[in-house]
Amino acid sequence: MTGFSSMATTSTAEGEAYRFILAGIRTARFKAGERLIPEEIATEIGMSRMPVREAFRRLATEGLVLIRPNRGCVVAGLTVEEIFEVFEMRSVLEGLAVRLAVPRLDSDAFAELDRLLDRMERSGDGGQDWVARHREFHEYICSFANRPKLLRQIASLHVTIEPYLRIWFHHAAKPLTAREEHQAIIDSLRAGDPAAAEALMSEHILTTAPTLTGFALETRGGG
Amino acid sequence: MTGFSSMATTSTAEGEAYRFILAGIRTARFKAGERLIPEEIATEIGMSRMPVREAFRRLATEGLVLIRPNRGCVVAGLTVEEIFEVFEMRSVLEGLAVRLAVPRLDSDAFAELDRLLDRMERSGDGGQDWVARHREFHEYICSFANRPKLLRQIASLHVTIEPYLRIWFHHAAKPLTAREEHQAIIDSLRAGDPAAAEALMSEHILTTAPTLTGFALETRGGG
DNA sequence: ATTTGGATGAGTGTATCCACTTATCCAATG
DNA sequence: CATTGGATAAGTGGATACACTCATCCAAAT
């Protein structure tokens, strides 16, 4: 069963399990508070419990699931306070990333940013992947900071709140101020002042938080 | 071997392995680039290699070790750029923590801070645990921010650079400007201006970075 | 002497097995 | 009828077993 050298699967079963569960959490197939049973997941993706368990550990370290000894693994729901906390952390980390990115942005980058902004806006009308586009937009900017650990941390924080963004976006309307806020960020990047761009990005993220947490409060999204 | 209900050991073997390896990395018993062999560690702390492997996963997620498929687990040495990056991240995250902490600090807290500063200074003369004291000082301040995820992230970053701080402190002299910088931070906290305290802490951490990375460059500490 | 190819052994990844813990449910009891 | 206690099932943590990969080393060939 294990010896198919021709298989082009991912290098390890653990990695496969990790990505599978991660995707499930991000798309809210696995909802906050839901218990993840190793055996079920293992059989679904055709492996034993062990690599799944190891994937759990990775997810737990990233704060995406909670493992209590002898009580299994549950998807980590965030309280309203925790959602806010994640936004605070993103606020300073993405602020830092933007500050570092500013001197490295070239005209190609700005062209791509305009494109991403458009795509985000268009997806908002028809498709439901505004969240993914929005994420792309932020990540593209941050990628210019050229700081791998910083990027990974930002991405990890984003995954954490992505399910809540999706719920929000699904129930409420698309954030109408988003377009202009993001345009303002692009303008600020073009202006080339790192401190100003950092401040603007920080503020942008922080001001998004109350809207989302307020909505989460209404719909009892917290854990 | 497993059924001793009276044993007050840590709840899981994985947790025990994790703490064991973590301590080893922090104290540089396990040095950067060194390969960690599950079987060896497992027998040393009296368990099988599986919980050790799981501990590896956790450490890898935190960036403390590197796991390459079929090539084992090595302690993650940081390049000079990466050390700098970690300081940058600490700079903004601890800045945030301080900003949030300021309104929550009371006179008891300041008394404790004075004590911690003294202890840090005293340990600098005789013992070699200035690094641990320094860490306590920073963590105590940050703890008042009341942000669990933020604290964990800061702690995780600190562990990453702790071995380098130890090498630095061992080879070079104790940072002489440290005392006054930390006193300035305490003063700033007493003044009660969150923004000012944030800026000062940010700057304190950022200015420490070049000293350490410069030293690391000399002694070829990078991986 | 240097290079190459294969044997050998160490180490890794996963599956399976076992002991133990926790949860569930039902019956007996107050 | 509510409560409690125990049987039973479900699930978790850890150990072991096994197949495979990678590194090392030595011998043969150039």
Side-chain angles (χ1 to χ4, degrees):
Chain A
M1 189 65 78
T2 52
F4 285 74
S5 61
S6 65
M7 292 196 94
T9 64
T10 160
S11 52
T12 69
E14 186 271 341
E16 195 179 340
Y18 172 79
R19 279 186 291 278
F20 177 82
I21 302 166
L22 184 68
I25 291 175
R26 281 177 42 177
T27 61
R29 175 193 162 180
F30 300 133
K31 296 180 187 60
E34 180 176 342
R35 186 167 176 185
L36 299 179
I37 290 147
E39 185 106 9
E40 288 179 7
I41 295 174
T43 54
E44 180 169 351
I45 54 184
M47 63 181 68
S48 80
R49 290 169 34 213
M50 179 105 41
V52 177
R53 277 175 48 118
E54 293 183 333
F56 283 174
R57 284 270 151 56
R58 209 155 122 195
L59 293 161
T61 308
E62 289 172 336
L64 293 171
V65 302
L66 203 75
I67 301 177
R68 280 146 70 216
N70 291 315
R71 301 254 187 104
C73 177
V74 298
V75 179
L78 295 178
T79 64
V80 171
E81 290 78 19
E82 285 169 330
I83 293 177
F84 209 92
E85 187 180 357
V86 171
F87 272 90
E88 285 175 331
M89 292 173 72
R90 277 188 62 212
S91 151
V92 296
L93 289 173
E94 292 202 34
L96 168 62
V98 165
R99 187 210 311 162
L100 298 169
V102 163
R104 305 172 132 270
L105 290 163
D106 54 20
S107 57
D108 285 351
F110 286 116
E112 176 69 10
L113 278 176
D114 290 338
R115 250 194 65 220
L116 287 170
L117 187 59
D118 270 355
R119 288 217 300 170
M120 175 162 44
E121 216 54 26
R122 261 185 283 118
S123 75
D125 294 339
Q128 70 275 67
D129 55 354
W130 184 87
V131 172
R133 301 303 187 204
H134 178 254
R135 178 187 177 154
E136 273 177 40
F137 179 80
H138 276 254
E139 277 186 351
Y140 185 73
I141 296 174
C142 292
S143 69
F144 282 87
N146 223 29
R147 295 289 194 278
K149 287 169 179 289
L150 178 60
L151 284 207
R152 249 192 319 126
Q153 180 58 27
I154 290 170
S156 171
L157 288 172
H158 197 281
V159 174
T160 291
I161 53 169
E162 191 163 325
Y164 296 92
L165 289 176
R166 282 185 196 282
I167 296 171
W168 175 43
F169 187 63
H170 187 251
H171 284 249
K174 173 180 61 175
L176 289 173
T177 61
R179 162 111 218 177
E180 51 197 73
E181 281 190 42
H182 290 126
Q183 187 59 62
I185 288 171
I186 294 180
D187 293 345
S188 165
L189 294 173
R190 273 213 171 85
D193 179 350
E198 174 177 16
L200 192 58
M201 177 61 89
S202 252
E203 196 192 358
H204 163 61
I205 293 174
L206 266 191
T207 57
T208 306
T211 315
L212 178 59
T213 55
F215 174 76
L217 264 173
E218 287 170 26
T219 59
R220 294 290 312 116
Chain B
M1 187 67 78
T2 53
F4 286 73
S5 62
S6 65
M7 291 195 95
T9 64
T10 160
S11 51
T12 69
E14 186 272 342
E16 194 178 341
Y18 172 78
R19 278 187 291 279
F20 177 83
I21 302 165
L22 183 69
I25 292 175
R26 281 174 44 174
T27 62
R29 174 193 162 180
F30 299 134
K31 297 181 186 61
E34 180 177 340
R35 187 166 173 188
L36 298 180
I37 291 148
E39 185 106 11
E40 288 179 7
I41 295 174
T43 55
E44 179 169 351
I45 54 183
M47 64 181 67
S48 81
R49 61 195 180 84
M50 180 127 57
V52 176
R53 275 177 52 101
E54 293 181 335
F56 284 173
R57 290 270 192 266
R58 210 155 121 195
L59 294 161
T61 308
E62 290 172 336
L64 293 171
V65 302
L66 203 74
I67 301 177
R68 278 147 70 217
N70 290 315
R71 302 254 185 103
C73 176
V74 298
V75 179
L78 295 179
T79 64
V80 171
E81 291 77 21
E82 285 169 330
I83 293 177
F84 209 92
E85 187 179 355
V86 171
F87 272 89
E88 286 175 331
M89 291 173 72
R90 276 188 62 211
S91 150
V92 295
L93 289 173
E94 292 201 33
L96 169 63
V98 164
R99 187 212 309 163
L100 297 169
V102 163
R104 305 173 132 269
L105 290 163
D106 53 21
S107 56
D108 285 351
F110 285 115
E112 176 68 9
L113 277 177
D114 290 338
R115 250 194 63 221
L116 288 170
L117 186 59
D118 270 356
R119 288 216 299 171
M120 175 163 42
E121 216 53 29
R122 263 186 282 119
S123 76
D125 295 339
Q128 69 276 66
D129 54 355
W130 184 87
V131 173
R133 301 302 187 204
H134 178 254
R135 180 188 175 151
E136 273 177 40
F137 178 80
H138 275 253
E139 276 187 352
Y140 185 74
I141 295 173
C142 293
S143 71
F144 281 86
N146 223 28
R147 295 290 193 277
K149 286 169 181 291
L150 178 60
L151 284 207
R152 249 191 318 127
Q153 180 59 26
I154 290 170
S156 171
L157 288 172
H158 197 281
V159 174
T160 291
I161 53 168
E162 191 163 326
Y164 296 92
L165 288 175
R166 283 184 196 283
I167 296 170
W168 175 42
F169 187 62
H170 187 250
H171 285 248
K174 172 181 62 178
L176 289 173
T177 61
R179 162 109 216 180
E180 50 199 72
E181 280 189 44
H182 290 126
Q183 186 60 60
I185 287 170
I186 293 180
D187 294 345
S188 165
L189 294 173
R190 273 215 171 83
D193 180 351
E198 175 177 16
L200 193 58
M201 176 62 88
S202 253
E203 194 192 359
H204 162 61
I205 294 174
L206 266 193
T207 57
T208 307
T211 316
L212 178 60
T213 54
F215 175 76
L217 264 175
E218 288 170 27
T219 59
R220 294 290 312 116

